[in-house]
């Protein structure tokens, strides 16, 4: 990337207030609906954590018609260089792109769009210092990934298409970048070999959902549910900010999916 700042140096974020309809959010396995009030509290604590790390947070209004719209990471991807509007591979989420478009046009000079035949979710995009990894998945197809690589080129960034392991919702469901040369990954993700050039910290078995952390400036946001992962990160020298995720996890979500983050010049 043509970018000398670490790719986790952020000063801005966008989030969206969860609507009561979030309890009908998509999920791969049924483990009960989330409790709306508890989920709202988790979301407020998440915003407070972003602000405590120095981010200026734009909070968008709730959208009843889109139960999963609290997961703003999926309909777009943003960089200091510009934003790209994506198109979800999940039918009920396609309309979220049009809903996030106006604020991106307000905040970014350059806003690009995927070609019409492609699908891609932001949850499949992992930004690393050398390239933007795009995981093919149930939500991101090769037309979408190829279109995204073209958009990234226009922004001066390099995209690389990889395969999300079968059965994993999004590429980032099981991995995150914790510093410029280190990733936190599940055993399944480590075995793909995709991160062979990185130092790998492997999630303790049984704590797989903890892999979706977010490095922001000097800290790592991590789910407070996974004590062994928090200890592992601390042993490796990372400052952690634990955030509750009990309710959002019921609809297959982790920490990265609830915000778009970038460094605003
Ligand atoms: C979905 O299935 O689309 C939502 N229930 C969860 C989205 C999580 N998004 C993400 O990790 N980027």
């Amino acid at each position: 990337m043509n970018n000398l700042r670490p790719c986790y140096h952020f000063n801005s974020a966008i989030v969206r207030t969860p609507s009561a309809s979030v309890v009908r959010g998509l999920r791969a396995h049924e483990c009960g609906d989330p409790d709306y009030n508890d989920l709202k509290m988790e979301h407020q604590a998440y915003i407070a954590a972003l602000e405590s790390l120095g981010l200026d947070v734009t909070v968008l209004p709730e959208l009843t018609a889109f139960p999963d719209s609290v997961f703003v990471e999926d309909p777009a991807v943003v960089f200091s260089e510009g934003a790209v509007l994506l198109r979800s591979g999940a039918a009920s989420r396609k309309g979220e792109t049009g809903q996030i478009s106006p604020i991106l046009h307000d905040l970014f000079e350059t806003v690009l769009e995927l070609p019409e035949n492609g699908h891609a979710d932001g949850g499949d995009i992992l930004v690393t210092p050398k390239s933007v990894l795009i995981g093919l998945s149930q939500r991101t197809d090769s037309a979408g990934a190829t279109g995204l690589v073209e958009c990234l080129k226009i922004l001066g960034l390099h995209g690389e298409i990889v395969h999300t392991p079968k059965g994993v919702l999004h590429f980032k469901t099981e991995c995150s970048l914790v510093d410029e040369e280190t990733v936190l990954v599940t055993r399944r993700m480590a075995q793909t070999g995709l991160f062979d050039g990185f130092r790998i910290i492997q999630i303790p078995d049984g704590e797989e959902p903890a892999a979706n952390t977010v490095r922001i400036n000097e800290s790592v946001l991590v789910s407070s549910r996974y004590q062994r992962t928090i200890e592992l990160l601390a042993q490796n020298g990372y400052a952690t900010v634990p955030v509750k995720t009990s309710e959002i996890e019921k609809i297959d979500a982790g920490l990265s999916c609830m915000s778009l983050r970038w460094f605003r010049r």
Side-chain angles (χ1 to χ4, degrees):
M1 295 174 75
N2 64 350
N3 190 342
L4 297 176
R5 276 176 290 101
C7 49
Y8 44 81
H9 183 195
F10 304 125
N11 61 8
S12 306
I14 296 173
V15 303
R16 186 183 291 286
T17 304
S19 151
S21 64
V22 72
V23 301
R24 302 196 309 269
L26 296 173
R27 69 209 73 178
H29 306 287
E30 193 50 67
C31 54
D33 289 348
D35 178 273
Y36 177 52
N37 288 322
D38 288 351
L39 189 146
K40 241 165 95 170
M41 280 195 287
E42 282 178 10
H43 193 257
Q44 280 159 4
Y46 180 78
I47 295 174
L50 297 182
E51 288 175 339
S52 77
L53 298 176
L55 271 57
D56 180 18
V57 182
T58 301
V59 183
L60 303 178
E62 62 187 67
L63 293 173
T64 310
F66 297 98
D68 286 293
S69 56
V70 61
F71 305 123
V72 285
E73 176 178 68
D74 293 318
V77 60
V78 298
F79 303 91
S80 302
E81 294 81 354
V84 184
L85 288 165
L86 304 173
R87 186 176 309 103
S88 182
S92 66
R93 301 201 61 190
K94 284 198 170 68
E96 291 175 31
T97 306
Q99 299 291 333
I100 202 143
S101 170
I103 188 72
L104 296 183
H105 282 280
D106 281 354
L107 294 174
F108 292 86
E109 257 176 47
T110 308
V111 180
L112 305 171
E113 286 178 31
L114 278 195
E116 276 185 12
N117 58 340
H119 297 96
D121 266 12
D124 285 316
I125 301 169
L126 180 72
V127 181
T128 78
K130 287 202 187 121
S131 61
V132 177
L133 300 181
I134 306 161
L136 297 173
S137 73
Q138 305 157 44
R139 300 286 179 86
T140 297
D141 54 25
S142 63
T146 308
L148 181 54
V149 169
E150 291 307 311
C151 291
L152 293 174
K153 256 187 219 158
I154 296 170
L155 298 178
L157 305 172
H158 174 66
E160 190 183 334
I161 301 174
V162 297
H163 287 269
T164 304
K166 272 213 165 53
V168 178
L169 173 62
H170 284 127
F171 187 61
K172 271 188 309 205
T173 305
E174 295 206 1
C175 64
S176 47
L177 187 87
V178 289
D179 67 32
E180 303 214 85
E181 54 202 23
T182 312
V183 286
L184 179 70
V185 295
T186 59
R187 179 185 297 277
R188 170 160 58 179
M189 202 51 115
Q191 285 167 349
T192 62
L194 284 171
F195 293 106
D196 284 353
F198 289 83
R199 187 167 80 96
I200 290 180
I201 302 179
Q202 197 174 301
I203 292 282
D205 290 339
E207 295 206 345
E208 285 73 11
N212 181 260
T213 64
V214 192
R215 172 76 192 251
I216 297 179
N217 302 328
E218 298 309 312
S219 304
V220 180
L221 285 192
V222 57
S223 167
S224 60
R225 302 187 73 197
Y226 302 104
Q227 205 50 44
R228 285 182 293 152
T229 301
I230 294 173
E231 280 160 21
L232 187 60
L233 286 168
Q235 281 158 15
N236 279 275
Y238 298 98
T240 58
V241 177
V243 181
K244 198 164 163 282
T245 61
S246 321
E247 299 309 307
I248 55 149
E249 257 187 37
K250 293 180 184 164
I251 45 174
D252 296 345
L255 290 167
S256 71
C257 50
M258 290 190 287
S259 59
L260 287 168
R261 307 155 296 274
W262 77 107
F263 185 85
R264 192 171 190 192
R265 291 181 183 135

